[in-house]
Amino acid sequence: MAAPQIPNLNTFRRGAPRLSGRGHGGPSDPSSSSTPEDHSAKDRIVQQTDQDASISRLSAVELGYLDDPFAGLFVSGPGQRRFPIINRGTYVRTSAIDALVLRFLSPSTASPTFATHPNRGTRKQIISLGAGSDTRFFRLRLQQQHASPSLSPFIYHELDFPSNTHQKTTTITRSPALTSLIPGGYTVSGDGTSLSSGTYYIHALDLRDLADPSKVSTLELKGVDTSIPTLLISECCLIYLPPHQADAVVDYFTKHLFRLSSHPPSPSDLSSTSSPLQRTASLALILYEPLNPHDPFGKTMVRNLAQRGIVLQTLQKYGSKEAQVERLRDHGFSGGREVRTVDEMWEAEPDAEANVILNVGIGQAGGDRKTKRSEGFTLGIGEKERERVGTLEMVDEVEEWRLLAGHYCVAWGWRDGDVNTQDEDIWQGWKGLPRTAG
């Protein structure tokens, strides 16, 4: 799950923070060096943050913030307990993105009567950029098995550097708990970096290739179906790319792979073997990224990350909520275009619809557990859930927490497609969320 560990403010006073994330882009600062060796070293710095993020997630799971039976499988060595505000940040971010994903996959978000809903059998698709050791596919499959709530059938794709996908496929193939959740079996490439099945695909891919016009026409993402509603997820992934490359990666999906029939073909479209008249279904994007690099806390965060060789390259361009909304608009996502900070989601009350839709989070099979959510499917944590989380561990640094939580956000938007898949109902769950942005 591509997202950085929210740093503790005290680490800013002592020195560089331990910021973790599954960002999978290019060299951290292309202007500082240009040799292949330097670029490779900077790539490794970003790739290695995947393990830090896995440790942060396991910390939140072990303390009862989240329910993820697979988190420990992707951590090498013993886990480490993170600071309380880091655990809380991991919890809010994961809960928010899970809520959006569930609203996308669950037909019940558009109708209280699942059995008669027209989208009951609509297959859907998720493409996770820089997925790293993310466990969301397996948590969704676990929930699907227990049919609570009922989810639409789905295909799941993960894109990441070969070094990270190799580690993930190795973990999967060695774990019966994971392989049992891949229906119909699977195959792994000879070099061990890619995995494919009818519903789950791991693609070994440098995302920068999606931004390279000379490579786009020859790229093939096996199993991607452009005729079904699709959700793109980037959790602190595109942030590590230069702005023009980050934009080009999204454009690969919006203007090339899922190009609308009304959109003029690009040169790469004309040179590819795909039909320029191919009709595509609706498309959406979820982003999780830092904000506010120009205030004192933001400047400190950026400076300390740079000392570790990590540069958040799109932060200057997309460093405000307004800029993120405009970003979604520029990429053609005409629906929604919402942005909420972690702090806003923590303080907000759940929307009324959440109570009827779901009462557990992704990965929970039900039962009386300390991690059971009192509310679900919502981007507002709510008083009752805040009380539950508050009993897990003491958070004394309230001011510190508010600063940290105000510097990260979740943004989302969608667009309709050419294919008639009753798009209005597909995104009904997202449309039901209270509006906070323009």
Side-chain angles (χ1 to χ4, degrees):
M1 184 177 312
Q5 170 187 319
I6 298 180
N8 185 289
L9 188 61
N10 288 332
T11 64
F12 291 146
R13 302 188 183 107
R14 293 193 300 265
R18 290 179 54 81
L19 183 88
S20 68
R22 292 187 173 92
H24 306 289
S28 299
D29 185 1
S31 63
S32 63
S33 60
S34 57
T35 68
E37 292 78 10
D38 287 334
H39 285 186
S40 178
K42 290 173 182 178
D43 282 351
R44 285 194 297 273
I45 291 174
V46 176
Q47 293 167 34
Q48 289 166 1
T49 61
D50 177 63
Q51 189 59 209
D52 284 342
S54 295
I55 292 172
S56 292
R57 178 172 185 83
L58 181 59
S59 174
V61 169
E62 290 181 336
L63 288 167
Y65 287 88
L66 300 168
D67 188 3
D68 183 349
F70 313 111
L73 298 176
F74 293 97
V75 173
S76 301
Q80 301 174 24
R81 182 165 179 166
R82 299 301 198 194
F83 288 109
I85 57 175
I86 296 172
N87 292 323
R88 182 178 289 185
T90 300
Y91 157 75
V92 176
R93 178 198 75 242
T94 303
S95 298
I97 296 175
D98 282 355
L100 289 169
V101 170
L102 287 170
R103 282 175 175 264
F104 168 60
L105 290 179
S106 177
S108 60
T109 60
S111 170
T113 308
F114 171 72
T116 60
H117 190 267
N119 281 331
R120 180 181 182 186
T122 299
R123 201 177 198 194
K124 299 174 184 177
Q125 183 169 242
I126 295 174
I127 301 175
S128 181
L129 308 179
S133 300
D134 183 24
T135 62
R136 188 169 280 118
F137 167 78
F138 299 101
R139 292 185 290 122
L140 286 169
R141 282 288 300 142
L142 184 63
Q143 184 164 308
Q144 196 175 45
Q145 283 187 348
H146 289 85
S148 176
S150 298
L151 300 180
S152 299
F154 63 90
I155 309 171
Y156 205 101
H157 296 266
E158 297 178 354
L159 282 60
D160 211 333
F161 277 120
S163 59
N164 284 351
T165 59
H166 184 276
Q167 184 175 359
K168 187 164 193 176
T169 58
T170 300
T171 300
I172 291 172
T173 55
R174 292 176 177 176
S175 171
L178 298 176
T179 56
S180 65
L181 292 171
I182 305 176
Y186 60 90
T187 59
V188 176
S189 62
D191 60 3
T193 63
S194 299
L195 181 147
S196 61
S197 72
T199 57
Y200 182 45
Y201 296 85
I202 297 178
H203 305 270
L205 178 70
D206 186 333
L207 290 182
R208 288 169 294 195
D209 290 347
L210 302 180
D212 187 341
S214 67
K215 297 180 179 179
V216 165
S217 61
T218 59
L219 283 175
E220 179 184 3
L221 294 181
K222 183 179 179 181
V224 171
D225 187 347
T226 60
S227 69
I228 59 177
T230 298
L231 170 62
L232 304 173
I233 301 176
S234 170
E235 294 186 57
C236 260
C237 167
L238 298 177
I239 189 74
Y240 296 101
L241 290 171
H244 73 279
Q245 283 190 330
D247 291 341
V249 168
V250 179
D251 285 344
Y252 170 80
F253 294 99
T254 60
K255 297 180 180 180
H256 176 77
L257 195 61
F258 289 83
R259 183 176 63 83
L260 296 172
S261 60
S262 58
H263 192 284
S266 66
S268 59
D269 290 323
L270 294 175
S271 62
S272 69
T273 56
S274 61
S275 170
L277 298 178
Q278 183 177 4
R279 295 169 63 80
T280 61
S282 55
L283 184 67
L285 173 64
I286 296 174
L287 295 162
Y288 172 74
E289 296 196 347
L291 288 175
N292 305 322
H294 301 300
D295 64 19
F297 181 84
K299 290 178 180 178
T300 304
M301 177 177 67
V302 170
R303 181 173 60 251
N304 282 277
L305 285 173
Q307 291 176 359
R308 290 188 58 200
I310 298 174
V311 176
L312 308 178
Q313 298 197 56
T314 67
L315 185 55
Q316 297 301 320
K317 183 175 181 179
Y318 299 121
S320 69
K321 293 173 65 176
E322 294 76 16
Q324 291 286 359
V325 169
E326 189 62 28
R327 178 186 198 175
L328 292 167
R329 181 183 292 111
D330 289 345
H331 284 300
F333 296 105
S334 56
R337 296 198 305 269
E338 284 289 309
V339 182
R340 297 187 192 175
T341 66
V342 168
D343 185 47
E344 288 171 338
M345 292 183 289
W346 171 255
E347 295 293 336
E349 292 303 309
D351 53 292
E353 182 186 353
N355 292 323
V356 240
I357 299 172
L358 181 66
N359 65 356
V360 292
I362 292 180
Q364 293 177 264
D368 186 16
R369 316 177 64 155
K370 67 176 181 177
T371 50
K372 185 172 182 178
R373 292 287 305 274
S374 56
E375 311 288 356
F377 249 54
T378 176
L379 297 190
I381 297 302
E383 181 179 1
K384 192 172 182 180
E385 179 63 6
R386 286 195 296 270
E387 290 177 356
R388 182 193 74 83
V389 171
T391 65
L392 300 177
E393 56 181 345
M394 184 68 66
V395 175
D396 294 323
E397 314 91 338
V398 177
E399 180 184 358
E400 187 175 327
W401 159 248
R402 297 295 299 271
L403 276 171
L404 291 165
H407 281 77
Y408 293 86
C409 74
V410 176
W412 67 93
W414 75 88
R415 72 168 200 203
D416 294 333
D418 297 316
V419 179
N420 181 17
T421 53
Q422 303 185 23
D423 292 337
E424 288 299 311
D425 288 329
I426 292 293
W427 306 110
Q428 190 62 38
W430 287 16
K431 293 176 183 179
L433 292 166
R435 297 299 302 272
T436 61

